[in-house]
Amino acid sequence: MVKNTIGREIPTEFADKYGVFKGAWAKKSAYQTAAAQVHPVQPTDSKLVASIHDVIEKVGLKDGMTISFHHHFREGDYVMNLVLAEIAKMGIKNLSIAPSSIANVHEPLIDYIKSGVVTNITSSGLRDKVGAAISSGIMKNPVVIRSHGGRARAIKAGDIHIDVAFIGAPSTDEYGNINGYHGNAICGSLGYAQVDAKYADRVVAITDNLVPYPNTPISIPQTDVDYIVQVDKIGDPDGIARGATRFTKNPKELIIAEYAAKLIEYSRYFKDGFSFQTGSGGASLAVTRFLKAAMLKHKIKASFAIGGITQPMVELLEEGLVNKLLDVQDFDKRSADSIRENENHYEIDAEMYASPFAKGAVVNQVDVAVLSALEIDTQFNVNVMTGSDGVIRGASGGHCDTAAASKMTVVVAPLIRGRIPTIVDQVNTVITPGESIDVVVTEYGIAINPKRKDLIDALQNLDVPQLTIEALKAKAYAIVGTPQSIVYTDQVVALIEYRDGSLIDVVRKPGEIDE
Amino acid sequence: MRLQHQAIAGTTESSDIQIMIEPNVENEIAINLDSSVQFQFGKQIKQVIQDTLTKLGVTSANIKAIDRGALDCTVKARTLTAIYRAADVTDEIDWQVID
């Protein structure tokens, strides 16, 4: 067992293979990027293939290969299930899958794991049923959890080698010029898929909207695409926005958002030309609304906002309060429409968004990030991966990427959720190290990381209750009681890569309840 | 206090607990708990139910509790109400047992 610098115990076999976390900026060395195989296409060749079955044969998919998907359709994705069903039927086994994330809609994956079709997974997230199945130990090899920036890095550096990328294409021509702006299931930005298209040996576009050549704008160019397959439906447009971007009326979330906005307004980062990222959780979304009022009051405009783009950010752009949106993914239809209609709403790929080993990612330019959390501990470590019962149900997303790089990282979360405390002695799983978190905002007040003495001094007269993180934890435990720690077995079900590829934590299978 | 028949208090809404209580022919306390926070608070919830029974002098009962993340004060109140209903206590209810 090896302890990393935040005290997490990593089994030696994994520590040797990946290295352990030594600090947010510990790794910085030049490297050679991976390269994709190219199969040239000549004028008489056609890229159109009749079925998913035929294209799997054409690309020569074999046992043991790695295939990838993108999660821009979120809960509305049909592509991964369609492709895996065909692969299972054809008897191909022992595959590694490298989707940018996995949603509830991908529940059939559980059967493909059990039948040996899929034996390795790397993903940003694993939602309810798939997460619970993985936590119960159905896989021999642990899932590798990577952040959005970390995945882009791993692909570019060759840690993930994609043999075949299957890309759901809301619109494409028969030569493979793809965008997510037009069609039945529009998703807007294709930022995660752009990385796969550049580095996969074979790239297959799956579409329900074949348009005349040339299809523009070109998010993924014909020069990256081998084949195109037409199917009835690649996704459910309603599913793309499901579960996110609700406009909160919850008084707890509103007061958290109000505190967070006051904090940002009072900070030295709030000046003309500032930049920000807000997440898609209820409180995080509401921050955008309160921030808008502050921007109007002080006549301050933001240079750009980044993300995970949501409707409130689009409204700021349209009202001239934000100059540009840089967009790796859209969380609702309004945002997907905006990227098509507004030239200041601009698509970027996952590497440019957040890779730690790029020639400078956009997150490096962000002033203020507002992120959410399932758990925060008294060392400011954040968990967005496992529930308080230790079972996998969340996603790493861009959390650690944005938190590390932005100048002020604000985590918004209620002190308790039902009987579950959010501020705890020790989080079940660390996704983002405490060194990256500057301020925690709850409905009872805020706690500033003691490492940020400059913020503590600057925010002295801020009109929001200020407590230590220990005092916040004590308040939570006083209401709900002291929770018993989860008992874990030794079986590792997931490895948590930090964005630089080192292991910041592992997830173990929970044990039986100690009655 | 002696239980006369089965009784129920509480709901299965979020942050509530439903307590079903009935006389136990085995002459002992048996608590069956199903909780959304079983791992973290299972022991504590059972302890609060047991303490409430003890305070009211109930020594024999079958209890089935379905918890959806109730706080201790709610667990006490629902247990107390279920006991009084099962014991047919309708007036002169001693609320002081909730400290």
Side-chain angles (χ1 to χ4, degrees), chain A residues 95-253:
Chain A
L95 285 178
S96 296
I97 62 166
S100 49
S101 200
I102 294 172
N104 282 325
V105 69
H106 300 123
E107 197 185 328
L109 181 58
I110 297 169
D111 290 334
Y112 302 133
I113 293 168
K114 288 180 176 164
S115 59
V117 176
V118 173
T119 47
N120 283 284
I121 297 176
T122 178
S123 175
S124 155
L126 295 161
R127 299 298 180 177
D128 302 0
K129 280 183 182 157
V130 184
I134 298 295
S135 265
S136 77
I138 61 168
M139 291 191 82
K140 185 164 157 275
N141 304 319
V143 171
V144 182
I145 299 295
R146 291 181 164 101
S147 71
H148 292 327
R151 178 179 188 268
R153 172 204 56 75
I155 292 170
K156 186 166 180 169
D159 294 354
I160 302 174
H161 176 79
I162 302 169
D163 292 296
V164 187
F166 292 94
I167 295 176
S171 75
T172 178
D173 57 44
E174 59 178 47
Y175 229 45
N177 293 300
I178 302 169
N179 70 53
Y181 306 178
H182 301 282
N184 311 312
I186 65 165
C187 60
S189 176
L190 284 168
Y192 305 118
Q194 287 175 323
V195 178
D196 300 26
K198 262 187 238 167
Y199 295 99
D201 285 345
R202 291 293 207 166
V203 175
V204 175
I206 314 264
T207 193
D208 55 7
N209 182 34
L210 199 62
V211 300
Y213 183 89
N215 183 35
T216 59
I218 299 172
S219 297
I220 293 171
Q222 63 187 48
T223 42
D224 284 345
V225 177
D226 291 273
Y227 296 114
I228 295 112
V229 179
Q230 258 190 299
V231 296
D232 287 344
K233 277 195 168 125
I234 57 167
D236 167 14
D238 294 336
I240 295 170
R242 194 174 299 148
T245 69
R246 77 211 146 78
F247 199 71
T248 189
K249 285 181 178 154
N250 179 334
K252 241 188 194 181
E253 288 183 336

Side-chain angles (χ1 to χ4, degrees), chain A residues 419-452:
Chain A
R419 195 176 182 155
I420 308 287
T422 305
I423 319 284
V424 294
D425 280 322
Q426 202 171 44
V427 292
N428 278 293
T429 307
V430 180
I431 290 291
T432 299
E435 68 176 285
S436 298
I437 306 300
D438 299 312
V439 189
V440 172
V441 180
T442 73
E443 70 276 32
Y444 286 85
I446 67 169
I448 304 170
N449 192 329
K451 284 180 185 152
R452 289 297 303 265

Side-chain angles (χ1 to χ4, degrees), chain A residues 367-383:
Chain A
D367 292 320
V368 178
V370 181
L371 306 171
S372 50
L374 290 172
E375 291 180 321
I376 306 148
D377 68 24
T378 48
Q379 301 301 306
F380 287 85
N381 297 314
V382 173
N383 170 21

Side-chain angles (χ1 to χ4, degrees), chain A residues 263-401:
Chain A
L263 157 78
I264 294 165
E265 181 184 348
Y266 200 86
S267 78
R268 68 174 184 276
Y269 304 108
F270 190 69
K271 54 178 194 263
D272 212 37
F274 84 113
S275 59
F276 68 94
Q277 169 162 7
T278 49
S280 62
S284 188
L285 266 180
V287 172
T288 313
R289 188 160 51 130
F290 285 101
L291 213 48
K292 176 181 163 182
M295 290 166 81
L296 286 170
K297 184 171 136 201
H298 298 284
K299 296 194 168 53
I300 280 177
K301 287 181 183 174
S303 55
F304 73 95
I306 183 182
I309 299 298
T310 54
Q311 180 168 344
M313 288 159 122
V314 169
E315 286 168 2
L316 289 182
L317 177 72
E318 289 174 354
E319 287 160 29
L321 291 170
V322 173
N323 289 339
K324 311 256 180 177
L325 295 182
L326 297 179
D327 184 349
V328 72
Q329 178 183 14
D330 294 285
F331 283 124
D332 49 44
K333 181 154 185 309
R334 187 80 166 72
S335 307
D337 288 339
S338 164
I339 201 170
R340 176 182 65 241
E341 288 158 8
N342 195 327
E343 67 173 24
N344 291 319
H345 183 160
Y346 197 78
E347 186 170 5
I348 58 170
D349 71 25
E351 185 195 13
M352 180 165 166
Y353 165 45
S355 171
F357 293 179
K359 295 179 182 178
V362 175
V363 288
N364 295 1
Q365 295 287 329
V366 171
D367 292 320
V368 178
V370 181
L371 306 171
S372 50
L374 290 172
E375 291 180 321
I376 306 148
D377 68 24
T378 48
Q379 301 301 306
F380 287 85
N381 297 314
V382 173
N383 170 21
V384 286
M385 197 69 220
T386 47
S388 60
D389 54 2
V391 175
I392 299 172
R393 65 162 52 98
S396 174
H399 203 285
C400 68
D401 299 310

Side-chain angles (χ1 to χ4, degrees), chain A residues 388-389 416 418-421 479-487 510-515, chain B residues 14-15 33 36-46 48 67-72 75:
Chain A
S388 60
D389 54 2
I416 53 172
R419 195 176 182 155
I420 308 287
I479 298 167
V480 302
T482 301
Q484 275 187 277
S485 299
I486 303 301
V487 180
E512 296 302 312
I513 298 176
D514 171 29
E515 290 284 350
Chain B
S14 176
S15 295
L33 173 68
S36 60
V37 291
Q38 194 103 18
F39 277 92
Q40 306 91 323
F41 293 106
K43 270 187 185 171
Q44 192 174 332
I45 295 166
K46 281 186 175 177
V48 171
D67 171 60
R68 292 293 171 257
L71 298 177
D72 282 353
V75 178

Side-chain angles (χ1 to χ4, degrees), chain A residues 65-80:
Chain A
M65 282 187 166
T66 299
I67 59 176
S68 79
F69 302 91
H70 66 94
H71 76 289
H72 292 96
F73 303 116
R74 306 179 70 240
E75 290 297 343
D77 177 51
Y78 294 169
V79 174
M80 188 157 110

